[in-house]
């Protein structure tokens, strides 16, 4: 999980944290009903046979979270980058 530390000085900086299973809150990606209620949009940024990237964002706000997937036998979420400001 990567996110911006907005309190860092002199400016925000990325912070990477590896999460243990017990630290993960499910669902990782908001379900459609929640996305609709919060006016969140989903965009597929990259898609190939083995990799995909999708960004969850809210228009005209600083909210932006990108999800990274790889495919072996099934699709697996490998990273989340929260670039929200």
């Amino acid at each position: 999980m990567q996110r911006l530390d907005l309190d860092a000085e002199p400016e925000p900086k990325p912070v990477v944290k590896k999460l243990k299973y017990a630290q993960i809150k499910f669902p990782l990606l908001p379900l459609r009903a929640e996305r609709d209620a919060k006016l969140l949009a989903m965009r597929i940024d990259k898609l190939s046979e083995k990799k995909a990237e999708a960004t969850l964002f809210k228009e005209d706000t600083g909210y932006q979270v990108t999800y990274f997937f790889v495919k072996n036998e099934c699709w697996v979420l490998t990273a989340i980058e929260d670039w929200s400001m």
Side-chain angles (χ1 to χ4, degrees):
M1 175 78 180
Q2 179 171 301
R3 65 170 185 78
L4 282 178
D5 179 356
L6 300 176
D7 296 325
E9 293 293 336
E11 60 187 43
K13 68 176 185 175
V15 175
V16 176
K17 183 177 181 181
K18 292 189 182 229
L19 301 176
K20 295 181 181 179
Y21 186 81
Q23 296 173 297
I24 299 172
K25 296 178 184 173
F26 292 94
L28 296 171
L29 185 65
L31 301 175
R32 180 176 293 276
E34 182 180 352
R35 293 193 314 258
D36 291 346
K38 293 182 177 180
L39 303 175
L40 299 174
M42 178 67 68
R43 174 183 69 229
I44 305 300
D45 299 315
K46 295 181 184 176
L47 180 60
S48 69
E49 283 187 35
K50 296 286 185 180
K51 293 185 179 183
E53 276 181 38
T55 299
L56 185 65
F57 63 97
K58 187 171 185 177
E59 290 287 341
D60 301 322
T61 71
Y63 184 84
Q64 179 175 313
V65 181
T66 303
Y67 298 83
F68 297 85
F69 301 87
V70 295
K71 184 177 182 183
N72 293 315
E73 293 185 19
C74 63
W75 286 101
V76 176
L77 178 66
T78 58
I80 299 172
E81 293 182 358
D82 186 344
W83 295 103
S84 300
M85 297 287 286

